[in-house]
């Protein structure tokens, strides 16, 4: 059994080249912080539950910002807190993939 039921990785990559897409330039770090606080607020955080982490480059910044949820291996893009809330509520709480945000 995995240590966490679900592990969420937010790409928070910041590229030096301003001409290349990067997730952090689109607010990834702030929305990762928001998701982490929301998961804690809902009582989902901890061993056997959900962990939200920052990741370096996940190599999909052009489609981003991006997150990946394991063990399902589902990749999402998002724009704002409402999108993050939907992923938390539907996927992390309800076990349903959010098709409209899936990449």
């Amino acid at each position: 059994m995995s240590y966490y039921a679900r592990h969420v990785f937010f790409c928070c990559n910041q590229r030096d080249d301003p001409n290349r897409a990067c997730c952090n330039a689109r607010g990834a770090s702030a929305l990762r912080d928001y998701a982490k606080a929301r998961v804690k607020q809902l009582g989902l955080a901890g061993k056997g539950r959900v962990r939200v982490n920052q990741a370096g480059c996940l190599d999909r910044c052009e489609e981003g910002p991006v997150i990946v949820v394991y063990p399902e291996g589902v990749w999402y893009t998002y724009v704002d807190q409402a999108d993050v809330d939907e992923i938390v509520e539907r996927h992390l709480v309800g076990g349903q993939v959010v098709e409209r945000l899936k990449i």
Side-chain angles (χ1 to χ4, degrees), residues 31-92:
L31 285 168
R32 186 275 328 264
D33 291 345
Y34 173 78
K36 193 172 187 96
R38 186 75 179 121
V39 164
K40 286 180 182 177
Q41 180 183 46
L42 292 170
L44 300 174
K47 181 180 177 183
R49 308 208 68 193
V50 176
R51 173 77 179 180
V52 176
N53 274 101
Q54 172 176 318
C57 186
L58 294 174
D59 206 25
R60 294 188 80 172
C61 294
E62 294 77 19
E63 300 171 88
V66 298
I67 66 172
V68 59
V69 179
Y70 289 110
E72 296 93 336
V74 176
W75 290 81
Y76 291 112
T77 189
Y78 57 91
V79 175
D80 54 22
Q81 284 184 357
D83 288 344
V84 171
D85 283 337
E86 187 173 357
I87 293 166
V88 170
E89 294 292 331
R90 291 187 52 210
H91 192 144
L92 303 183

